[in-house]
Amino acid sequence: MTGLRVEVDLDKVADNTAELVSRARERGMSITAVTKVMLGAPELAQAMSVAGAVSLGDSRVENIERMRAAGIDHSMLLIRSPMPSQVDRVVRAGVASLNTERDVLTALASAARAQGRVHDVMLMVELGDLREGLMPAQLNQVIAHVLGLPTLRLSGIGANLACRNGVEPTVENMGELSSIVDSVEAAFNIEIDVVSGGNSANLDWAFGPSPTGRINNLRLGESILLGREPLQRRPIPGLHTDAVTLVAEVIESQRKPTMPWGRSGQNSFGETAEVEDRGRVWQTILAIGRQDTDPTDLVPPEGIEVRAASSDHLVVETGDRMCPGQEVRFEPGYSALLRSMTSPFVAKHLYRSDTRS
Ligand SMILES: *Cc1c(COP(=O)(O)O)cnc(C)c1O
């Protein structure tokens, strides 16, 4: 096995999923487990489905096709508005999709007609974070458009907060989503099955004391994988925070001064170094860089400090010399994990730790 790898303990992911599913159920909500950070790894999707996720969510049709090809037949949701160039594939994959654009909806309806299918859509509403979503005043027009297209079925209304501006889900904005759903139902005399309140940032609100109103679904990725809520990155009690590990290998370890010498300009990334002289240290280099992860988003083990990173080198300080070939295990944050999963140089090792399964 190569020294540079992401390790995913599928039993811990399954435990985290089951725990969140059960706590959400007590509050009247189902969980859509989001696989996008793991590029739709089928073993992961399988573990999340068995653990009770009502459906799987992914932002890329490529990942969805990968799961379908591996035989994952669970209900799925494309959690990004489809690219017009991909509507045929989205419909063919037999998934529902999030939507905000009339023209995309029209294109999905035509693709569904051509394939003899009905495509489920969830319309997204803007609640203030200013990423995807229809302004509430525009919603009814688009609903009328969907209801007029016989090959589309309006399966839900949703919202997404926190991803762009960090706007937190609160009693107020979740209450607004509930009222929007009530008024849509009254205006069109229809029933909205799924009201999807948001992502892992919704957990404080979801497990808090206030009524959940009409919201009956959450789409969770980060909290299942990393066991943390994303607004303050606090561990969620009862969840594993070590289901995912990033492992890198030592390639050099030398006693060196902390002060560079010679005339300095910008480094390879346009940054100018601010260095303080701390004398000589054990400077160790790991064979992982910005191409493979987000070096600012790694929690190193005790006694190791991340100092700098270039494309392929991570410079850390260690109390002692480390031997080339030794491995260092980091706890990645969301951004580090996302980049590691996407680097072809990082091996992905998904395994089961638990003899129960
Ligand atoms: C990524 C994403 C999610 C999951 O977010 P987490 O913070 O990983 O729980 C949910 N909904 C949408 C629309 C997303 O893009």
Side-chain angles (χ1 to χ4, degrees):
M1 193 171 2
T2 164
L4 180 53
R5 60 188 187 272
V6 171
E7 291 187 353
V8 182
D9 182 334
L10 293 170
D11 288 308
K12 288 185 175 168
V13 171
D15 284 350
N16 285 359
T17 310
E19 175 69 15
L20 289 166
V21 164
S22 123
R23 290 177 63 184
R25 187 185 295 126
E26 284 165 24
R27 298 276 284 157
M29 285 179 275
S30 64
I31 298 301
T32 296
V34 174
T35 52
K36 68 184 178 203
V37 195
M38 293 283 167
L39 313 189
E43 305 90 323
L44 178 91
Q46 183 64 20
M48 290 167 153
S49 307
V50 171
V54 69
S55 59
L56 299 166
D58 204 291
S59 50
R60 314 258 170 171
V61 73
E62 293 81 357
N63 295 345
I64 283 172
E65 288 171 346
R66 179 182 176 200
M67 291 188 274
R68 287 288 190 239
I72 308 288
D73 58 6
H74 210 48
S75 166
M76 287 190 206
L77 175 68
L78 178 69
I79 58 173
R80 185 175 69 179
S81 184
M83 287 187 230
S85 58
Q86 294 187 327
V87 289
D88 283 317
R89 290 167 68 179
V90 173
V91 170
R92 197 171 310 280
V95 298
S97 61
L98 298 191
N99 284 273
T100 56
E101 285 286 332
R102 273 179 93 92
D103 290 353
V104 176
L105 289 158
T106 310
L108 285 165
S110 310
R113 192 177 330 110
Q115 294 178 30
R117 293 173 180 256
V118 170
H119 181 73
D120 282 358
V121 299
M122 174 178 288
L123 294 180
M124 296 298 275
V125 194
E126 178 60 67
L127 294 181
D129 193 52
L130 297 178
R131 204 181 67 176
E132 77 276 40
L134 288 151
M135 292 297 283
Q138 311 300 316
L139 181 63
N140 279 9
Q141 279 180 28
V142 178
I143 289 184
H145 182 64
V146 171
L147 297 177
L149 294 165
T151 52
L152 296 187
R153 191 180 81 92
L154 179 61
S155 65
I157 291 183
N160 194 70
L161 289 168
C163 284
R164 178 183 164 193
N165 282 306
V167 171
E168 301 185 11
T170 57
V171 175
E172 289 71 33
N173 51 34
M174 288 297 106
E176 187 189 352
L177 182 58
S178 286
S179 330
I180 289 171
V181 172
D182 286 341
S183 72
V184 161
E185 289 186 340
F188 294 94
N189 193 26
I190 53 174
E191 267 183 49
I192 303 293
D193 291 346
V194 183
V195 182
S196 190
N199 55 49
S200 296
N202 279 63
L203 288 175
D204 276 349
W205 164 82
F207 299 152
S210 37
T212 50
R214 293 295 310 272
I215 287 97
N216 62 12
N217 172 266
L218 295 175
R219 309 175 304 276
L220 304 181
E222 175 166 359
S223 51
I224 293 179
L225 292 167
L226 302 182
R228 293 174 186 272
E229 60 74 37
L231 291 169
Q232 315 295 331
R233 302 246 126 71
R234 282 175 319 220
I236 301 169
L239 298 197
H240 304 283
T241 54
D242 59 352
V244 181
T245 313
L246 177 60
V247 185
E249 193 174 336
V250 173
I251 52 170
E252 177 183 312
S253 189
Q254 308 274 332
R255 191 84 180 149
K256 287 195 183 184
T258 38
M259 281 307 279
W261 63 90
R263 197 167 62 188
S264 299
Q266 295 181 349
N267 71 8
S268 11
F269 294 91
E271 304 150 348
T272 15
E274 292 257 353
V275 198
E276 86 184 275
D277 193 350
R278 289 173 294 106
R280 284 177 174 260
V281 294
W282 279 106
Q283 176 183 296
T284 297
I285 298 180
L286 305 176
I288 179 173
R290 298 196 199 196
Q291 189 158 26
D292 311 294
T293 195
D294 178 351
T296 63
D297 193 32
L298 296 174
V299 180
E302 279 279 303
I304 295 187
E305 253 184 280
V306 175
R307 286 292 174 192
S310 52
S311 313
D312 315 296
H313 297 77
L314 187 72
V315 180
V316 302
E317 276 174 29
T318 45
D320 241 320
R321 174 174 154 78
M322 293 190 76
C323 293
Q326 257 184 289
E327 292 184 344
V328 178
R329 305 177 68 83
F330 295 91
E331 197 183 291
Y334 188 80
S335 163
L337 178 61
L338 181 69
R339 212 182 293 172
S340 294
M341 286 303 298
T342 317
S343 168
F345 302 103
V346 180
K348 285 80 185 177
H349 178 52
L350 286 70
Y351 67 100
R352 315 212 67 125
S353 58
D354 194 331
T355 43
R356 276 176 306 175
S357 41

